[in-house]
Amino acid sequence: MINKILVANRGEIAVRVMRSCREMDIFTVAVYSDADGGAMHVRYADEAYHIGPSPSNESYLNIDKIIEVAKKSGADAIHPGYGFLSENAAFSDRCKQEGIIFIGPSGDSIRMMGDKITARQTMIKAGVPVVPGTTEPITDENKALEVIREIRLPVMIKASAGGGGKGMRLVKEESQILNSIRAARSEALSAFGNDAVYIEKYIESPHHIEFQILADKHGNMIHLFERECSVQRRHQKVVEETPSPLLTPKVREEMGKAAVAAAQAASYSGAGTIEFIVDEDLHYYFLEMNTRLQVEHPITERVVGVDLVKEQIKVANNEVLALKQEELRQRGHAIECRIYAEDPDRNFMPSPGIIKHITEPHGLGVRCDGYVYEGYEIPLYYDPLISKLICWGKTRDEAIARMKRALYEYKITGVKTSIRLLARIMDTPDFKDGKYNTHFIEKNHDFLFTMPPINPRVEDVAIMSVFVDYLGKVDNFETKVLAKNGKSNWKECGRRKNMFSY
Ligand code: MV4
């Protein structure tokens, strides 16, 4: 039985994992770098150990140190969260060697899916559709030209060791092909130490739709439906939702079956994600598999009603999956907005700094997974994610309205955040209509980055003026006046469009 889990991560995901541990009566061990002595995951855990300097390669990526802490603290298992060591095959293997349960798949599964060419071959064998292209590394340039003439331009050249948008190149003209292949190979070699590249037909205006899967160590596998992740900027997801407005029940069912077949082919265990690229005609193709819990997992949790971290822990503990595919349903609609400490008006420059004030949204259908508190300094060493705001509604429209309401309630000062941009996304006609693909942000750039007609700072000024007014009344023993007329003297103008919705 797992009695104590070391969480090899920081930030909101470390806290998220520990919350499920606490509900399961499992003790938690935090690890932290120099920059994280006062971080929330350290406060939340039952025990915490310093593992090194602030840069992650000297702390959160230090395998020896983390294993040492696991042993010293008597942890039975390690949860890697996302990022850092979560998709490190050597770390999964090392945990096994040391007799510690890695809450995630085997090193072999991670390695297989980490090599995109092997992953493609495996999917073809399993009957899962892949994007038309090559199934072997490109070594012969003439053969590459032959393949490209067959599948036609444009194509993408991708690094086998890449993924998540790293090591990709778009080729639109015949004259660029050979140069692009050579450049892609040398880039891949220096970035990943592996120059294997492959070719795929370029899908013009795709959707990024991923399926959540869950597998135990006894061969049982299920999917927990999809997440639509097409609102992205430079391969960083910004908003995710489920169900996808694009899919039909029939395509959803087919893709779910394909996702389970994909996981089976990888002898997978644990929680994983099958990423598909879907074109306007609903043709879907396997792109890659993520062998970890993902940032956007809460929208699935909300709509399917499953705690994915608890399921991960149970299957890591050799338990038989209690969930049955035929019992799973998507109930209502959930949207996630990622709140980053960055400045959308300055090319998304990270905005580390001290949180001066924070008021998080609450209320029906709202979940806010964060980790910062007033006075906390967001370090510059790590991903600047502050929190994830997840809103649920019976319908998509209700979920959007609720997200707008929650973003209105969300106040953070001290650092720049993406809150206003997210509110603007909720107001974008293409988003409201559910008609968007991976080009959404570029396509709606002017709408998204133009200030609404009323300067939003009017709201801050209004709050200050009310406060000054209030202080004046307190000084003059006039507080009863407030209660007597019971009326705000600044919202009488009513809810003007755009005034309070940014
Ligand atoms: C593609 C593609 C078009 N055609 N592959 C980007 C992230 C990585 N997982 C794969 N990506 C893409 N692969 C083919 N054959 C377009 C993208 C892509 C993209 C995919 C999902 C979400 C956003 C994206 C933004 C630009 C490009």
Side-chain angles (χ1 to χ4, degrees):
M1 274 302 285
I2 295 176
N3 179 54
K4 192 187 268 192
I5 293 176
L6 183 152
V7 181
N9 215 304
R10 64 175 304 284
E12 69 84 21
I13 194 60
V15 176
R16 158 73 193 91
V17 170
M18 289 178 194
R19 283 182 165 139
S20 288
C21 293
R22 192 159 280 272
E23 290 178 22
M24 296 170 89
D25 265 331
I26 294 170
F27 292 96
T28 53
V29 180
V31 290
Y32 64 96
S33 67
D34 284 349
D36 277 342
M40 187 62 90
H41 72 287
V42 173
R43 296 182 173 191
Y44 195 100
D46 297 304
E47 300 167 58
Y49 299 87
H50 178 255
I51 51 166
S54 304
S56 19
N57 55 6
E58 296 177 73
S59 48
Y60 297 105
L61 292 172
N62 186 339
I63 293 179
D64 288 333
K65 193 77 196 175
I66 290 168
I67 295 286
E68 183 194 314
V69 171
K71 296 199 143 174
K72 184 162 67 182
S73 64
D76 323 285
I78 297 181
H79 195 302
Y82 54 69
F84 296 129
L85 294 170
S86 62
E87 294 184 279
N88 186 310
F91 185 58
S92 175
D93 286 341
R94 177 72 186 277
C95 289
K96 194 170 181 186
Q97 280 164 24
E98 303 282 351
I100 301 162
I101 298 168
F102 176 75
I103 302 176
S106 68
D108 288 341
S109 289
I110 298 175
R111 254 185 298 274
M112 193 241 268
M113 288 304 180
D115 185 87
K116 308 301 167 192
I117 293 175
T118 311
R120 270 170 72 78
Q121 291 167 350
T122 309
M123 292 310 138
I124 293 167
K125 258 187 250 157
V128 178
V130 303
V131 186
T134 55
T135 50
E136 298 289 339
I138 302 299
T139 45
D140 182 342
E141 293 182 346
N142 288 322
K143 206 158 163 219
L145 284 169
E146 215 173 278
V147 171
I148 291 169
R149 289 206 183 99
E150 193 187 310
I151 62 177
R152 315 283 290 274
L153 287 168
V155 298
M156 292 203 95
I157 300 169
K158 297 187 178 183
S160 190
K166 280 178 285 181
M168 292 189 339
R169 233 158 222 276
L170 173 60
V171 185
K172 287 182 165 165
E173 283 164 42
E174 186 128 3
S175 61
Q176 306 170 339
I177 296 172
L178 292 181
N179 271 338
S180 294
I181 291 174
R182 284 171 203 155
R185 287 181 67 174
S186 89
E187 265 174 35
L189 186 64
S190 60
F192 312 112
N194 172 357
D195 75 349
V197 299
Y198 61 105
I199 296 171
E200 274 183 6
K201 171 86 186 149
Y202 179 62
I203 309 294
E204 296 277 349
S205 295
H207 283 244
H208 170 134
I209 299 179
E210 57 188 32
F211 271 70
Q212 176 69 51
I213 65 106
L214 205 47
D216 67 18
K217 293 183 177 174
H218 309 276
N220 303 301
M221 299 197 185
I222 56 169
H223 72 83
L224 296 93
F225 305 99
E226 81 280 11
R227 294 184 286 260
E228 168 68 70
C229 304
S230 297
V231 181
Q232 304 207 357
R233 188 193 153 267
R234 301 201 182 160
H235 308 302
Q236 278 269 23
K237 292 167 191 158
V238 178
V239 175
E240 305 95 349
E241 65 175 311
T242 186
S244 166
L246 181 75
L247 295 189
T248 60
K250 183 170 164 281
V251 175
R252 176 174 293 115
E253 197 181 318
E254 269 180 44
M255 289 178 76
K257 284 185 178 145
V260 170
Q264 250 147 8
S267 308
Y268 198 78
S269 81
T273 300
I274 312 292
E275 224 179 277
F276 292 99
I277 196 164
V278 186
D279 71 17
E280 298 294 291
D281 301 321
L282 296 190
H283 297 121
Y284 58 90
Y285 309 97
F286 170 86
L287 257 196
E288 44 194 78
M289 178 171 190
N290 301 309
T291 57
R292 59 167 192 274
L293 183 72
Q294 290 201 252
V295 178
E296 59 273 22
H297 75 278
I299 56 174
T300 298
E301 296 191 316
R302 188 62 186 78
V303 161
V304 186
V306 172
D307 180 330
L308 286 167
V309 173
K310 279 187 189 165
E311 295 304 319
Q312 282 188 299
I313 294 169
K314 286 193 278 185
V315 301
N317 200 27
N318 270 323
E319 289 177 36
V320 174
L321 205 54
L323 301 164
K324 298 268 171 282
Q325 187 70 63
E326 59 276 12
E327 290 168 6
L328 298 181
R329 294 276 178 283
Q330 290 170 297
R331 288 193 174 77
H333 201 99
I335 304 174
E336 174 181 278
C337 283
R338 297 189 185 191
I339 318 297
Y340 282 99
E342 59 187 22
D343 188 351
D345 298 322
R346 287 196 175 74
N347 198 29
F348 295 85
M349 204 174 11
S351 174
I354 296 172
I355 302 287
K356 195 172 162 67
H357 170 87
I358 180 163
T359 303
E360 290 185 338
H362 299 284
L364 184 61
V366 176
R367 168 177 174 182
C368 190
D369 271 25
Y371 76 107
V372 309
Y373 51 85
E374 283 180 9
Y376 175 74
E377 181 170 5
I378 297 177
L380 44 79
Y381 297 97
Y382 316 108
D383 186 75
L385 184 72
I386 299 174
S387 72
K388 305 180 311 204
L389 178 55
I390 300 100
C391 288
W392 178 88
K394 293 183 294 299
T395 62
R396 184 170 187 273
D397 285 347
E398 188 181 48
I400 292 173
R402 191 163 277 159
M403 182 61 81
K404 286 176 65 171
R405 182 271 285 178
L407 288 166
Y408 163 74
E409 289 178 9
Y410 211 157
K411 306 291 177 208
I412 298 176
T413 60
V415 299
K416 297 274 189 202
T417 76
S418 50
I419 293 174
R420 277 178 189 168
L421 173 69
L422 291 161
R424 202 74 179 138
I425 290 173
M426 295 300 123
D427 273 336
T428 309
D430 282 349
F431 186 83
K432 286 199 284 194
D433 296 342
K435 292 203 168 69
Y436 63 88
N437 57 40
T438 49
H439 303 305
F440 172 80
I441 298 216
E442 306 150 53
K443 179 170 179 260
N444 292 284
H445 186 276
D446 290 352
F447 183 88
L448 291 173
F449 294 93
T450 307
M451 285 281 185
I454 295 172
N455 189 321
R457 264 172 280 268
V458 74
E459 191 199 358
D460 299 332
V461 174
I463 288 167
M464 285 187 275
S465 76
V466 168
F467 189 62
V468 169
D469 183 56
Y470 169 79
L471 286 180
K473 281 169 178 156
V474 172
D475 285 351
N476 297 319
F477 304 98
E478 272 184 42
T479 45
K480 279 181 193 127
V481 176
L482 278 171
K484 230 192 281 170
N485 70 32
K487 228 166 150 192
S488 162
N489 51 9
W490 67 288
K491 282 195 176 176
E492 282 176 345
C493 53
R495 190 184 295 225
R496 249 195 273 159
K497 227 179 169 42
N498 290 328
M499 185 159 176
F500 305 115
S501 63
Y502 303 110

